[in-house]
């Protein structure tokens, strides 16, 4: 009986479990507040519809975290190659038969249940797994740095290249995280600098020639407009509503002040597009003020701090790279979402991990957190064995 109960215990870093719990509670509160008016309009007065949907999804995410944290991290290394192949296949499938929205084919609709699946989220996880595996494999052999570099760059080029056509921000974030992993993995600086130069050069060229490219060429026109709108707000004839989004977010932040209006008292949720996803941080700042905003920022920063503590205790390279890559992915996405809400960078469309309403992002963020906890669990078990031997 004791062994059966022990199998259901939450293991791994307890602080990370607390962070996950706090972020999910915040998610429920803010999603309920930001979707109340929308639910009333589209669901016949049922203001709790999206709250219940988010609650069910978060409970499912807890199950995903529990399952993935119970799987030994060694299995994730052996699944890395197959995961990358599946992810690339899903990305290509989305381009061929995916749901097209706003000139982007990012989603695949799963038959029967009608769930929209976003392959780029799977690709993020798969690529970080693959890069971690390759870096760990070649750590002990300095002569193989070049081989490791080309294997990783080829995978980054394929995955980020496909994602780039429909989602520039995800492609840029993922590519940057992989380059950071390569830097930590002691790949030669000349290789990394050369890759960054080529990548930036291609992006600049595409942005310059964007006006001459057909509309079917991904969302490069949207990316260019967003950058121009950010650099010169109000001067662009076609802003696709980006200036309106930013202006409404600014109103929400300013009206919230230091302490905020209080939970459920947002006014801008009725005017701000996507207040439950892309701009959910603006609603948090309006209702909970800067105090609440800094509190949520602190949770993400503490997450990466705890991830660093796990890495320092790892005696193998693969779990160390895996924890670094996954934690950086989550926190970088969170910081990007926050930066957009307070108008530090152009609009990107990145959700706030584990807080924004959504499906695919929540699912794969949960899987990533489960993998981090799997490494933490293994590290703790090793510590127990070492103390027992002593």
């Amino acid at each position: 009986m004791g062994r059966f109960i022990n199998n259901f215990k939450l293991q791994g870093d307890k602080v990370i479990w607390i962070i996950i719990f706090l972020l999910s509670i915040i998610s429920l509160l803010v999603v309920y507040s930001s979707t109340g008016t929308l639910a009333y309009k589209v669901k016949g007065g049922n203001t709790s519809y999206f709250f219940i949907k988010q609650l069910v999804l978060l409970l499912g995410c807890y199950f995903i975290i529990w399952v993935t944290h119970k799987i030994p991290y060694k299995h994730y290394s052996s699944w890395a190659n197959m995961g990358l192949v599946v992810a690339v296949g899903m990305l290509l499938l989305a381009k061929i038969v995916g749901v097209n929205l706003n000139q982007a084919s990012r989603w695949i609709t799963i038959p029967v249940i009608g769930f929209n699946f976003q392959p780029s989220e799977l690709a993020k996880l798969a690529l970080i797994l693959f890069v971690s595996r390759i870096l760990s494999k070649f750590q002990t052999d300095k002569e193989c740095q070049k081989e490791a570099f080309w294997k990783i760059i080829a995978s980054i080029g394929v995955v980020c290249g496909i994602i780039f056509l429909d989602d520039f921000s995800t492609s840029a974030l993922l590519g940057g995280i992989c380059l950071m992993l390569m830097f930590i993995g002691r790949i030669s600086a000349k290789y990394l600098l050369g890759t960054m130069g080529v990548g930036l050069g291609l992006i600049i060229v595409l942005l310059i020639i964007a006006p001459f490219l057909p509309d079917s060429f991904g969302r490069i026109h949207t990316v260019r407009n967003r950058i121009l709108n950010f650099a010169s707000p109000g001067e662009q004839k076609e802003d696709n509503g980006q200036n309106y989004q930013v202006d409404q977010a600014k109103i929400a932040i300013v009206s919230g002040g230091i302490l905020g209006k209080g939970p459920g008292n947002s006014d801008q949720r009725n005017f701000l597009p996507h207040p439950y996803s892309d701009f959910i941080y603006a609603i948090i700042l309006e209702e909970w003020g800067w105090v609440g905003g800094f509190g949520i920022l602190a949770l993400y920063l503490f997450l990466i701090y705890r991830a660093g503590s796990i890495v320092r205790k790892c005696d193998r390279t693969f779990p160390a790279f895996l924890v670094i890559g996954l934690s950086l992915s989550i926190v970088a996405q969170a910081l990007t979402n926050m930066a957009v809400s307070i108008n530090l960078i152009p609009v990107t469309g990145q959700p706030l991990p584990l807080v924004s309403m959504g499906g695919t992002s929540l699912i794969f963020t949960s899987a990533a957190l489960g993998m981090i906890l799997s490494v933490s669990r293994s590290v703790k078990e090793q510590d127990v064995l070492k103390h027992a031997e002593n």
Side-chain angles (χ1 to χ4, degrees):
M1 183 65 178
R3 185 177 179 183
F4 177 79
I5 294 173
N6 188 59
N7 286 334
F8 285 90
K9 281 185 178 179
L10 302 180
Q11 297 173 300
D13 193 295
K14 289 183 172 59
V15 176
I16 292 180
W17 277 110
I18 292 171
I19 292 171
I20 293 169
F21 176 75
L22 291 175
L23 288 175
S24 61
I25 293 299
I26 292 167
S27 174
L28 288 173
L29 293 174
V30 184
V31 166
Y32 179 65
S33 173
S34 60
T35 60
T37 304
L38 176 65
Y40 184 84
K41 291 179 179 178
V42 301
K43 295 299 174 182
N46 182 10
T47 58
S48 300
Y49 174 80
F50 292 109
F51 170 82
I52 295 171
K53 183 178 179 181
Q54 185 77 350
L55 174 61
V56 171
L57 188 54
L58 284 171
L59 290 175
C61 288
Y62 273 110
F63 178 72
I64 292 171
I65 296 172
W66 179 81
V67 170
T68 50
H69 103 290
K70 285 290 185 180
I71 299 173
Y73 71 79
K74 294 178 182 178
H75 291 300
Y76 295 123
S77 177
S78 61
W79 297 339
N81 291 344
M82 181 58 67
L84 187 64
V85 171
V86 172
V88 171
M90 296 291 280
L91 286 171
L92 292 174
L93 186 64
K95 294 297 295 179
I96 298 169
V97 299
V99 178
N100 192 290
L101 182 63
N102 294 329
Q103 297 177 323
S105 298
R106 304 182 195 175
W107 297 270
I108 297 174
T109 301
I110 299 176
V112 183
I113 62 174
F115 180 78
N116 285 333
F117 172 75
Q118 197 167 354
S120 61
E121 294 295 330
L122 170 62
K124 284 163 56 177
L125 198 61
L127 184 58
I128 291 171
L129 277 170
F130 180 80
V131 172
S132 300
R133 175 182 168 83
I134 296 298
L135 287 173
S136 64
K137 184 178 178 181
F138 290 104
Q139 277 300 290
T140 56
D141 192 348
K142 292 183 179 179
E143 299 300 321
C144 292
Q145 264 206 22
K146 190 173 183 180
E147 183 182 349
F149 169 77
W150 285 112
K151 283 187 176 182
I152 294 172
I153 284 300
S155 62
I156 293 174
V158 172
V159 173
C160 292
I162 298 172
I163 296 174
F164 176 83
L165 296 174
D166 296 317
D167 192 346
F168 170 76
S169 59
T170 296
S171 176
L173 279 174
L174 182 56
I177 289 163
C178 290
L179 286 175
M180 194 172 295
L181 276 176
M182 292 167 71
F183 174 76
I184 296 170
R186 295 182 295 180
I187 295 295
S188 176
K190 66 180 181 181
Y191 293 149
L192 299 180
L193 290 173
T195 302
M196 291 173 61
V198 172
L200 288 173
L202 287 173
I203 292 171
I204 291 171
V205 169
L206 282 173
L207 291 175
I208 291 174
I209 66 173
F212 309 102
L213 295 174
D215 292 338
S216 58
F217 195 85
R219 285 168 57 85
I220 191 66
H221 300 89
T222 302
V223 173
R224 183 176 183 274
N225 287 336
R226 285 178 174 179
I227 294 173
L228 292 175
N229 287 328
F230 178 78
S232 305
E235 294 184 13
Q236 305 304 315
K237 293 181 180 179
E238 296 183 7
D239 63 8
N240 295 319
Q242 303 306 322
N243 289 337
Y244 176 80
Q245 287 179 308
V246 171
D247 290 343
Q248 296 303 316
K250 288 178 181 177
I251 293 171
I253 294 167
V254 171
S255 61
I258 297 176
L259 299 177
K261 297 178 178 178
N265 293 324
S266 169
D267 293 316
Q268 293 310 114
R269 64 187 173 189
N270 300 317
F271 305 100
L272 183 62
H274 308 296
Y276 43 81
S277 56
D278 300 356
F279 283 88
I280 198 167
Y281 191 63
I283 301 300
I284 291 171
L285 290 172
E286 182 183 11
E287 294 189 347
W288 298 5
W290 284 99
V291 173
F294 279 120
I296 291 172
L297 173 61
L299 289 176
Y300 287 108
L301 295 180
F302 207 51
L303 172 63
I304 201 146
Y305 169 76
R306 295 303 300 178
S309 299
I310 296 170
V311 169
R312 285 193 294 271
K313 295 177 182 178
C314 289
D315 57 2
R316 294 181 179 273
T317 53
F318 172 73
F321 286 128
L322 182 63
V323 171
I324 293 170
L326 294 177
S327 58
L328 280 175
S329 174
I330 294 169
V331 175
Q333 183 177 321
L335 295 177
T336 300
N337 177 280
M338 296 176 188
V340 168
S341 292
I342 60 177
N343 199 32
L344 286 180
I345 60 174
V347 174
T348 63
Q350 292 292 324
L352 191 59
L354 220 61
V355 175
S356 292
M357 187 176 77
T360 314
S361 176
L362 275 173
I363 290 169
F364 285 101
T365 297
S366 300
L369 289 166
M371 291 179 185
I372 293 171
L373 288 166
S374 172
V375 175
S376 174
R377 181 174 67 86
S378 177
V379 167
K380 285 195 171 186
E381 289 174 354
Q382 290 173 3
D383 285 343
V384 170
L385 287 174
K386 288 179 182 178
H387 287 303
E389 290 174 357
N390 295 332

